[in-house]
Amino acid sequence: MFGALPMILVAYNRKQQHFTFVRELHAKEVSSHAEYNKTFTEARSRLGLFRMLHRNFLQWRSLIDDLLNAKANEPEDTLEELNRLLLNYLTCAYTIREHFEVSFQHRYRKDNNRQGEFDAFLTSLCSQYWSFGFFLDFRGYVQHRGVGVGHYSRQVQQAAVHVVVSADAQQLLSKSRNWKRSTLNPSHGRIDLVTHLQEFHICMLQHFGGFVAKTFFPELKPASDFYAALTTEAKAKDVFARMMFMEEPPKVFRDGAKISTTLNLICVPNSVFEELGIRISSSAEPGAAPSGGPATPVDNTGVAEGPPSVR
């Protein structure tokens, strides 16, 4: 059934515990996998910070969703918990920014033409998405000046639950003048932290994460195309399956009436960027401005439901 090639493409349906053998991999595909897998492994290690950030966001989002549930009891320490989760998130976001900024400057320390690209990209994000610039500034405020959540309230009514988690621009300005990225001013009024953190998080995963991936791991795009094509082949056999590799044909052992099979399987990425915890947009190029219009602060004092969680 199988030739001498060491790698076999299979479709694995975990729910049904069923394997479908698709075909042998060509020699060029085997060598491509060896190259791309090293890149993916290194990227997964370094980009793990984005997955940590997303877990922090999901914890914040989970608390907000609980508060929006009319049947859920409100914890006594809700305000403190909101501030704890917000601090955890902002600290992780700051770590990501610092880590890759230092790495970028080190990588291009001898290239004067590229030295300013990192800050230029951040500036472009801030100009397009007010939320992004605000939370870059807000992290410094939370670390040095005061807690993040300036106002919290929850009202359970017959038809809806209204939750407000906000900060007041005037209060923030009275305690700090460091709002360079967001140019915060009194006219911003009450700032809805739930809505703006949602947008900031999308910017971090999609635009900032995409910039990092394309800058530090340019080989990820061809790797993504390579594994995606093989995944399409596997799913053509079983739409619910995961694409995997098998190093050699299965070994069948017989012991009387008992038959057992040994498979030597290799887990490989099916959707490279999704499994790295980031999204790639066409605008995530060095120096490129993201698409979409600028976001302005909004005051959602009656939030009946939160924005959809990011996956």
Side-chain angles (χ1 to χ4, degrees), residues 33-293:
H33 165 64
E35 176 186 348
Y36 292 143
N37 189 55
K38 288 189 293 185
T39 299
F40 178 80
T41 300
E42 181 186 356
R44 182 170 178 81
S45 176
R46 292 201 65 188
L47 299 178
L49 288 169
F50 287 94
R51 296 189 296 279
M52 297 177 197
L53 182 74
H54 187 54
R55 287 196 290 271
N56 283 334
F57 177 78
L58 291 180
Q59 289 181 344
W60 160 270
R61 201 47 247 190
S62 178
L63 177 56
I64 298 298
D65 289 341
D66 287 344
L67 295 173
L68 289 167
N69 183 356
K71 297 180 180 180
N73 294 323
E74 182 178 4
E76 293 183 2
D77 61 346
T78 297
L79 179 59
E80 182 176 303
E81 185 67 1
L82 285 167
N83 277 309
R84 182 184 72 84
L85 295 175
L86 183 60
L87 176 61
N88 287 348
Y89 180 90
L90 293 177
T91 299
C92 187
Y94 174 75
T95 299
I96 291 173
R97 193 193 75 178
E98 286 290 297
H99 174 84
F100 288 106
E101 181 173 11
V102 171
S103 295
F104 186 93
Q105 299 304 330
H106 179 74
R107 172 172 290 206
Y108 299 111
R109 62 188 181 280
K110 296 181 180 179
D111 188 344
N112 293 330
N113 293 328
R114 301 204 63 177
Q115 279 288 307
E117 283 184 7
F118 189 93
D119 192 64
F121 184 75
L122 290 185
T123 299
S124 73
L125 274 180
C126 294
S127 66
Q128 291 290 315
Y129 298 96
W130 186 86
S131 301
F132 189 79
F134 171 73
F135 278 103
L136 292 188
D137 292 337
F138 194 49
R139 196 284 317 174
Y141 173 89
V142 171
Q143 179 176 346
H144 300 293
R145 298 296 183 181
V147 296
V149 180
H151 175 75
Y152 161 71
S153 66
R154 178 177 186 256
Q155 293 182 344
V156 180
Q157 300 177 350
Q158 186 173 1
V161 179
H162 300 275
V163 173
V164 177
V165 182
S166 65
D168 181 75
Q170 187 65 57
Q171 183 180 21
L172 297 178
L173 289 164
S174 69
K175 295 183 178 180
S176 174
R177 298 180 180 179
N178 296 321
W179 304 98
K180 176 184 176 181
R181 295 285 189 182
S182 60
T183 61
L184 183 70
N185 62 71
S187 67
H188 287 111
R190 179 181 288 180
I191 302 165
D192 177 4
L193 296 178
V194 176
T195 299
H196 286 296
L197 189 65
Q198 170 80 18
E199 181 171 85
F200 176 81
H201 186 61
I202 293 173
C203 284
M204 284 296 295
L205 296 188
Q206 181 170 318
H207 297 300
F208 188 80
F211 173 84
V212 166
K214 289 183 177 183
T215 300
F216 292 92
F217 303 101
E219 303 87 355
L220 284 176
K221 182 59 171 66
S224 176
D225 295 340
F226 170 75
Y227 289 116
L230 295 177
T231 299
T232 298
E233 282 193 63
K235 287 187 176 294
K237 299 291 185 180
D238 183 346
V239 69
F240 298 107
R242 179 175 179 84
M243 183 270 292
M244 303 182 77
F245 292 169
M246 190 165 61
E247 281 192 304
E248 56 188 19
K251 296 179 180 179
V252 180
F253 301 92
R254 297 178 182 273
D255 184 7
K258 184 179 179 181
I259 300 176
S260 60
T261 304
T262 299
L263 303 174
N264 192 1
L265 295 170
I266 302 174
C267 291
V268 295
N270 285 211
S271 177
V272 166
F273 292 111
E274 181 179 343
E275 292 176 39
L276 289 174
I278 60 177
R279 297 179 178 182
I280 292 293
S281 67
S282 58
S283 63
E285 298 284 358
S291 60

